[in-house]
Amino acid sequence: MIAISDTDRVFVLTGAGMSAESGIPTFRDSGGLWRNYTFEEVASPEAWRRDPALVWEFYSMRRRVASQAEPNLAHLALARLERRLRDRLFVCTQNVDGLHEQAGSQQVIHMHGELFKSRCDTCRRPPFPYTQLYEPPTPLPRCECNGRIRPHICWFGEMPFHLNRISRALQEATVFLAIGTSGVVEPAASFVASMGRRSRTIYVGPEPPANISLFSESYFAKAGEILPVLLDG
Ligand code: NAD
């Protein structure tokens, strides 16, 4: 069990491995589901300019997969931890699938966006809930301003969301817990390096991530199997 004192502030970073046991493939183990797509071809501003229909096809496919998924035991354990720690827990996810909220987590920072939201690529209209699937040859969705409606996702080469809040939370945290993330996608891969020397840095996942040397503790197991044990005790 991870000992959390009454004064600890816990920063949790989740990656694709958190949702693997819900049936959503990670980038790395993408055998099958994402195999028809090269990520740079469908998840970048260049891709959007070149072929918005292909981008919408890809995100519609991801919406289909995510809408059939259910939160797993790891998501549920984290939601219970939030009920115990309240605002001493900060959950920052790289996932876009919404499974943390489905499990009952109330405060989740989505640094890479949300699959079930969209925004206009032209005007300043804030992101809005949007669950529609694109079926060619239907026309691509348009905003009232005639801009194109795009997925609310941080693509390669774009700035992740909420970096100021994330940076403040990292400064305040005494415990850093990363779950199911390969430690190669920046800036999330460097969060652990910003933790002070006296803080505890813990990794949970079946194999060591690229930045494993920066962690003080690690538990090499599937999140759904070990998190309930580590967090509930
Ligand atoms: P990644 O694909 O690079 O790495 C996944 C990690 O999860 C690996 O280290 C792997 O060992 C680990 N893992 C596999 N099964 C696990 C399990 N059962 N329990 C715990 N860990 C497990 O993922 P990443 O580091 O999050 O990569 C970053 C990008 O992937 C993010 O930008 C994210 O937006 C995107 N992504 C998100 C989803 C999603 O929303 N569910 C799915 C695929 C990719």
Side-chain angles (χ1 to χ4, degrees), residues 157-175:
E158 293 187 317
M159 184 75 87
F161 306 109
H162 312 299
L163 288 181
N164 288 339
R165 279 179 78 182
I166 291 170
S167 151
R168 278 199 301 277
L170 283 167
Q171 280 166 22
E172 288 169 7
T174 54
V175 178

Side-chain angles (χ1 to χ4, degrees), residues 1-8 10 76-89 104 106 177 227-233:
M1 184 180 173
I2 297 172
I4 298 170
S5 79
D6 289 346
T7 54
D8 273 329
V10 181
L76 294 169
L78 209 52
R80 285 195 296 278
L81 187 68
E82 183 187 76
R83 289 198 281 280
R84 180 150 68 92
L85 301 186
R86 296 165 192 244
D87 62 355
R88 290 190 295 117
L89 177 69
Q106 310 255 329
L177 170 61
L227 265 197
V229 179
L230 291 177
L231 298 183
D232 293 335

Side-chain angles (χ1 to χ4, degrees), residues 13-30 34 39 62 66 72 74-75 93-99 111-113 115 153-154 156 178-186 188-189 203-210 219 221-227:
L13 172 68
T14 67
M18 184 86 187
S19 298
E21 288 156 89
S22 295
I24 300 183
T26 65
F27 271 157
R28 252 124 264 279
D29 313 319
S30 58
W34 321 136
F39 271 97
R62 290 191 66 182
N72 63 54
H75 295 106
T93 188
Q94 298 168 88
N95 297 346
V96 297
D97 54 34
L99 290 179
M111 67 178 290
H112 288 167
L115 199 47
I153 297 284
C154 170
F156 291 105
I179 306 162
T181 176
S182 53
V184 291
V185 177
E186 294 291 356
Y203 183 76
V204 170
E207 61 205 3
Y219 299 88
K222 290 184 176 178
E225 290 170 6
I226 191 127
L227 265 197

